[in-house]
Amino acid sequence: MVYDCLIVGAGWAGCVLAERLANGLGQKVLLVERSNHIGGNAHDFVDAHGLVVQKYGPHIFHTRLRPVWDYVSRFTDWNGYVHRVLAQVADRVVCLPINLDTLERLYGRPFTAEQARAFYAERRVPIERIENARDVVVSQIGQELYELFYENYTKKLWGLYPHDLAPQVTRRVPIRFDRDTRYFDDPCQGVPKDGFTPMFERMIASPDITVRLGTDYRSVATSERFGRLIYTGPIDEYFDYTYGRLPYRSLAFRFETLDVERFQDAAVVNYPGEQDYIRITEFKHLTLQKHPKTTICYEYGAAEGRPCYPVPTEANRRLCERYKAGADELERVHFVGRLAQYEYLNMDQVVERALALYEEIRTDG
Ligand code: FAD
Ligand code: UDP
């Protein structure tokens, strides 16, 4: 069999492209996935207790990109969940992102938006050129809140302090001057009504898509014939680490099922303090599942394991440029997704990139 396209990786990037090439262009696609499941980092499943859980930590789809939302909504209905996060700081549980309620709970007095601005004006550290993820925070809210919310959490998650990471890392979390308790302010957000994995299954259901799980790209690269390659794995691995390894941060997860209906007041509670875990997720909040038990997940930063995050530092960006230059020289080989583009992309951004690549293939042939 000659395939029009070999796609490496059945996460968001791989599934969207398989769907588009098969259903949009009638192409024959071979989709290979190294692990034993589809969905990549967004994979979910029903655990031994009948509870839907997300294997690699909490995933909420959120976007302001209407075409992306409309595209994904062809494969799923949404459960209407709006993501909210709490943080355990000092001895209080407070709202994150930091808003007026957060300040009131921490400092035990009322705050208007003007009072919050004045409060920060006294504390913020003037920084002319924002150069790292610490600068972003201390230049807005000062050292004390930086230490309470960001310093340890970031060290635990990334193995690096914020001053060693790019500004984009902490810019992801806004500082609010209202009482909006949502984690994301994107107008479209939610979790697929019957889960991410069933959504991916519908996406790649075409008979023109052959899926092989537990299959590494290397084992088919020379034995299968294909006209084009779309690669969504780590870019340095594709090039056999010629220029050295690009670090990818990993995570470790510890699941527990408890004999209670509810464990905590939000889907995610962050722990920026001394605990060794960074956050606890209780999936029932996200999935809206009714069940007498509940499964929770402790999450830890890890140096080794499945690659989860590209690590945004200047040195890594420069190293990645070398790999990207190599990628640009290849014909009919495309690199797309969080690992292949070595960018800290949310799911909607990965879908956007995948749809853009599809358009490129469709128009250029
Ligand atoms: P991946 O999901 O990593 O898929 C790549 C696939 O390629 C993997 O399945 C891998 O096994 C496979 N692969 C790699 N190499 C090979 C090979 N040689 N042969 C075969 N297969 C291979 N985004 C959001 O928008 N909202 C969230 O709430 C959110 N929460 C997150 C929470 C955590 C803990 C993490 C880590 C990420 C979160 N994200 C979230 C980001 C989201 O997971 C990614 O944007 C998205 O899953 C990336 O999709 P992808 O297809 O690029 O990569
Ligand atoms: N962050 C933090 N404390 C928190 C939440 C986030 O220090 O309680 C920092 C941390 O560096 C993290 C970044 O802000 O990597 C972005 O947070 P976000 O929740 O967007 O990260 P995600 O888990 O989605 O990658």
Side-chain angles (χ1 to χ4, degrees):
M1 167 95 175
V2 180
Y3 294 96
D4 295 298
C5 187
L6 168 63
I7 300 182
V8 180
W12 272 104
C15 287
V16 168
L17 276 151
E19 185 284 320
R20 285 291 67 220
L21 293 176
N23 297 337
L25 297 181
Q27 295 197 348
K28 302 269 182 236
V29 174
L30 175 59
L31 176 59
V32 296
E33 168 55 54
R34 176 148 67 187
S35 65
N36 62 2
H37 61 74
I38 61 169
N41 271 329
H43 177 74
D44 56 16
F45 65 101
V46 179
D47 72 9
H49 305 273
L51 284 146
V52 178
V53 299
Q54 300 178 331
K55 189 170 168 124
Y56 306 104
H59 278 74
I60 299 88
F61 195 88
H62 58 99
T63 192
R64 52 184 69 251
L65 305 169
R66 196 73 223 188
V68 165
W69 180 254
D70 290 344
Y71 170 75
V72 178
S73 300
R74 282 158 56 182
F75 308 99
T76 186
D77 291 329
W78 301 95
N79 70 0
Y81 171 73
V82 175
H83 193 37
R84 292 194 164 78
V85 173
L86 298 171
Q88 168 87 53
V89 284
D91 57 349
R92 319 256 156 100
V93 177
V94 298
C95 175
L96 191 76
I98 298 173
N99 69 6
L100 299 180
D101 293 337
T102 313
L103 291 180
E104 287 180 1
R105 275 190 74 77
L106 281 178
Y107 295 100
R109 67 168 175 94
F111 274 91
T112 62
E114 289 65 41
Q115 286 166 333
R117 287 204 169 84
F119 179 84
Y120 292 139
E122 278 172 19
R123 285 163 176 77
R124 83 164 61 97
V125 180
I127 296 176
E128 230 165 74
R129 259 189 70 205
I130 302 291
E131 287 185 340
N132 57 55
R134 174 182 179 272
D135 292 351
V136 169
V137 181
V138 297
S139 66
Q140 291 184 85
I141 61 176
Q143 184 69 19
E144 183 187 28
L145 288 167
Y146 162 77
E147 281 175 17
L148 272 182
F149 285 89
Y150 291 88
E151 192 169 60
N152 261 331
Y153 186 96
T154 301
K155 179 69 167 70
K156 289 192 285 184
L157 172 55
W158 293 96
L160 294 170
Y161 283 108
H163 63 247
D164 291 321
L165 288 163
Q168 62 170 115
V169 174
T170 45
R171 262 197 202 122
R172 291 167 59 87
V173 186
I175 304 298
R176 296 200 200 281
F177 292 88
D178 55 21
R179 293 180 196 280
D180 188 350
T181 55
R182 295 172 307 162
Y183 198 67
F184 307 117
D185 50 16
D186 290 339
C188 308
Q189 57 181 292
V191 170
K193 216 167 192 165
D194 17 77
F196 281 101
T197 301
M199 179 204 69
F200 288 120
E201 281 166 356
R202 286 190 284 271
M203 223 180 234
I204 58 172
S206 163
D208 287 333
I209 303 173
T210 304
V211 182
R212 284 201 212 142
L213 297 179
T215 305
D216 196 289
Y217 155 66
R218 304 251 164 228
S219 68
V220 295
T222 49
S223 57
E224 296 290 349
R225 292 167 61 203
F226 49 90
R228 182 187 300 280
L229 173 68
I230 293 177
Y231 182 86
T232 78
I235 187 168
D236 58 340
E237 186 181 331
Y238 179 90
F239 291 102
D240 292 324
Y241 313 106
T242 318
Y243 304 122
R245 277 190 182 258
L246 271 172
Y248 289 86
R249 187 69 174 164
S250 191
L251 295 169
F253 303 95
R254 182 164 60 83
F255 290 83
E256 265 181 25
T257 300
L258 309 172
D259 221 350
V260 293
E261 262 202 81
R262 270 277 180 264
F263 170 75
Q264 61 189 25
D265 290 336
V268 173
V269 178
N270 286 2
Y271 287 84
E274 295 306 317
Q275 303 80 358
D276 52 354
Y277 44 88
I278 55 170
R279 58 184 178 182
I280 302 178
T281 299
E282 183 176 21
F283 295 101
K284 279 167 76 181
H285 289 274
L286 310 170
T287 59
L288 310 185
Q289 190 177 6
K290 301 262 175 284
H291 196 286
K293 296 187 182 190
T294 193
T295 298
I296 59 169
C297 171
Y298 292 81
E299 203 171 321
Y300 307 80
E304 301 294 327
R306 181 190 172 88
C308 289
Y309 293 91
V311 184
T313 66
E314 186 47 33
N316 296 346
R317 192 192 60 74
R318 279 201 302 270
L319 177 54
C320 189
E321 285 308 315
R322 301 185 72 187
Y323 284 113
K324 283 185 174 167
D328 287 343
E329 280 170 22
L330 301 172
E331 290 220 356
R332 298 176 80 78
V333 181
H334 309 270
F335 293 79
V336 61
R338 184 149 145 142
L339 307 175
Q341 298 186 285
Y342 204 71
E343 286 180 54
Y344 194 161
L345 302 172
N346 293 328
M347 295 187 277
D348 65 324
Q349 296 170 302
V350 173
V351 176
E352 185 187 32
R353 301 280 176 103
L355 292 177
L357 173 56
Y358 168 69
E359 275 310 310
E360 209 180 288
I361 293 170
R362 192 178 68 81
T363 50
D364 297 349

